[in-house]
Amino acid sequence: MQNNMQHKLITWYQENHRHFPWRENENPYNIWISEIMLQQTTTEAVIPYFKRFMETFDTIDKLANASLEEVYKLWEGLGYYRRAKHIHETAQIIVEKYHGEFPNTYEDILALKGIGPYTAGAICSIAYHQSTPAIDGNVLRIISRVYLLKDNIALNKTQKKITDIVKELLIGYDSSAFNQGLMDLGATICRPINPQCDICPIQSHCLAYAKNQQKVLPINIKNIKHQEIHYTTGIITYQNQILLIQNPAGLLENLYGFIQYDIESPYRFVEEFEKQFHIPLSIVAHIDDLKHVFTHRTWYMHVYHFIINVPIEHLYTLDEIEKLPLSTAHLKVLKAYLKSREF
Ligand code: SF4
């Protein structure tokens, strides 16, 4: 009987793996959509979105033929909307270039929009059992601990080193079970804080455990500048309609939202608005001060209610707004406004 780390991890995975809807079959389409949704989002949060998405678009053809707005609507609340745009574009490429069949080589998959080495590796190993590593934060942490690597895992050269280690480990083993075993081990036992070494299936192979360094490793020091922006955000109403604009580009491209300027006064907001739209605007009330955190930036939104007395383009009733994809940040703004009207 084999007694090495790979064998123990795979056996543990086969007996204890978590059950998710995207694990019910090995269809590359399912695996692709789930992996994209799981970027930056927890498994619990993804499950209902994944189910809804696959019920609506059960084939790549249906997804490719849908409008971008339909895709955004199903994505609403998941955040990082660029992912949805890439999924839509990629579905169209797959229909045009691969006749609707998901490509099956690592290089072809990696060339698709929004798919990086981790996702390409996950699809190739899980759907096609190809010997490709799928290196994410879980794998970096586990390998760093098992091999007692004291290098900073935020650096490319450390990630390359870990990728090479995993490539070696995969030789001769089922890459699907091994990669998913690492994913599950990282999510449930070898967690970032307080790893559960007592019940770890690969404890006897772990050098960090042997040297009592499991609570120190991995070294993960990111040198990312985080930007903070203060906005005055305007709920601008005309009778029972609200003004929303569709973001042309940038972080929240194509999503609808309220007009906001990076200034810290509602009076300056009025000046900016009047300069841009050439109609008078009146301030009604301060609604709330809200914060929304993105990966590399934080928005502080100082929300005010304004009114206009002449109709302009882009006014929507609440029923119409329900059908539009709004950014998560501006859904918070809308909720705060609706709450303020209850008093
Ligand atoms: S023994 Fe502890 S630190 Fe090592 S892999 Fe297992 S859970 Fe992680």
Side-chain angles (χ1 to χ4, degrees):
M1 183 177 144
Q2 293 191 65
N3 204 24
N4 59 18
M5 183 176 107
Q6 296 94 311
H7 181 73
K8 285 184 192 163
L9 181 69
I10 288 172
T11 307
W12 172 81
Y13 172 75
Q14 285 163 343
E15 289 167 3
N16 299 283
H17 66 84
R18 297 174 297 165
H19 293 273
F20 297 123
W22 49 88
R23 282 185 171 170
E24 284 166 11
N25 59 54
E26 293 182 342
N27 181 335
Y29 174 47
N30 288 21
I31 296 160
W32 167 48
I33 298 297
S34 68
E35 286 297 343
I36 301 294
M37 286 186 170
L38 286 164
Q39 293 166 6
Q40 322 275 357
T41 314
T42 62
T43 46
E44 292 71 37
V46 163
I47 290 170
Y49 281 93
F50 177 81
K51 284 186 176 165
R52 254 194 322 269
F53 198 93
M54 298 315 281
E55 273 161 25
T56 312
F57 305 125
D58 57 349
T59 64
I60 297 180
D61 271 297
K62 274 193 197 161
L63 174 58
N65 289 323
S67 71
L68 183 57
E69 281 203 355
E70 284 174 81
V71 180
Y72 274 137
K73 194 62 202 161
L74 284 174
W75 207 269
E76 189 179 273
L78 261 184
Y80 303 96
Y81 289 86
R82 191 155 291 189
R83 295 181 296 176
K85 185 163 182 264
H86 286 156
I87 276 182
H88 189 235
E89 285 172 15
T90 293
Q92 291 172 336
I93 292 167
I94 292 173
V95 168
E96 279 163 30
K97 198 168 164 192
Y98 300 102
H99 313 292
E101 291 291 322
F102 206 92
N104 60 8
T105 69
Y106 181 81
E107 288 69 27
D108 286 346
I109 295 172
L110 187 63
L112 296 170
K113 271 223 157 143
I115 296 189
Y118 164 76
T119 307
I123 296 170
C124 284
S125 59
I126 301 170
Y128 304 121
H129 295 263
Q130 292 169 5
S131 191
T132 48
I135 308 294
D136 68 352
N138 283 324
V139 179
L140 293 174
R141 180 173 65 255
I142 296 167
I143 298 298
S144 164
R145 285 173 175 166
V146 171
Y147 286 82
L148 198 70
L149 297 179
K150 294 175 180 168
D151 311 303
N152 183 0
I153 61 164
L155 300 178
N156 286 339
K157 63 175 185 192
T158 313
Q159 294 178 7
K160 162 98 182 43
K161 191 170 172 180
I162 290 177
T163 304
D164 290 341
I165 292 173
V166 175
K167 274 185 190 163
E168 284 282 316
L169 288 172
L170 280 171
I171 296 172
Y173 290 91
D174 175 15
S175 55
S176 170
F178 183 79
N179 283 344
Q180 292 188 88
L182 286 176
M183 289 173 195
D184 280 19
L185 189 76
T188 59
I189 292 180
C190 193
R191 299 183 308 219
I193 309 287
N194 283 330
Q196 308 287 294
C197 302
D198 292 350
I199 54 165
C200 177
I202 57 169
Q203 185 212 74
S204 62
H205 301 272
C206 181
L207 294 176
Y209 178 74
K211 303 271 183 203
N212 197 24
Q213 295 299 297
Q214 69 273 21
K215 292 189 180 171
V216 180
L217 293 173
I219 307 299
N220 186 10
I221 298 174
K222 297 188 183 85
N223 185 12
I224 296 170
K225 294 200 174 36
H226 196 92
Q227 198 186 13
E228 296 195 338
I229 315 173
H230 282 263
Y231 285 111
T232 297
T233 306
I235 310 267
I236 299 170
T237 59
Y238 171 76
Q239 297 174 355
N240 68 339
Q241 294 174 300
I242 300 176
L243 180 63
L244 288 180
I245 50 156
Q246 195 174 19
N247 292 305
L251 189 64
L252 302 173
E253 191 177 327
N254 288 320
L255 296 179
Y256 287 79
F258 301 98
I259 291 177
Q260 58 186 13
Y261 301 114
D262 54 347
I263 49 179
E264 292 172 36
S265 155
Y267 297 101
R268 291 228 11 242
F269 183 102
V270 171
E271 287 168 21
E272 288 295 324
F273 179 87
E274 291 180 350
K275 221 187 304 167
Q276 191 180 349
F277 291 89
H278 309 290
I279 53 169
L281 184 74
S282 315
I283 309 175
V284 180
H286 176 223
I287 301 293
D288 208 346
D289 294 307
L290 302 169
K291 179 177 162 186
H292 188 78
V293 181
F294 299 91
T295 314
H296 301 319
R297 69 186 77 173
T298 300
W299 282 6
Y300 292 92
M301 296 171 289
H302 308 287
V303 184
Y304 288 80
H305 179 200
F306 303 87
I307 51 171
I308 48 177
N309 290 316
V310 281
I312 56 171
E313 267 191 298
H314 313 301
L315 288 165
Y316 302 94
T317 62
L318 279 176
D319 284 344
E320 288 166 334
I321 291 173
E322 272 205 358
K323 296 188 192 89
L324 297 176
L326 253 68
S327 69
T328 312
H330 280 188
L331 272 176
K332 284 185 194 170
V333 172
L334 180 64
K335 277 189 195 145
Y337 170 65
L338 295 177
K339 194 163 172 226
S340 75
R341 295 202 318 177
E342 290 167 6
F343 298 107

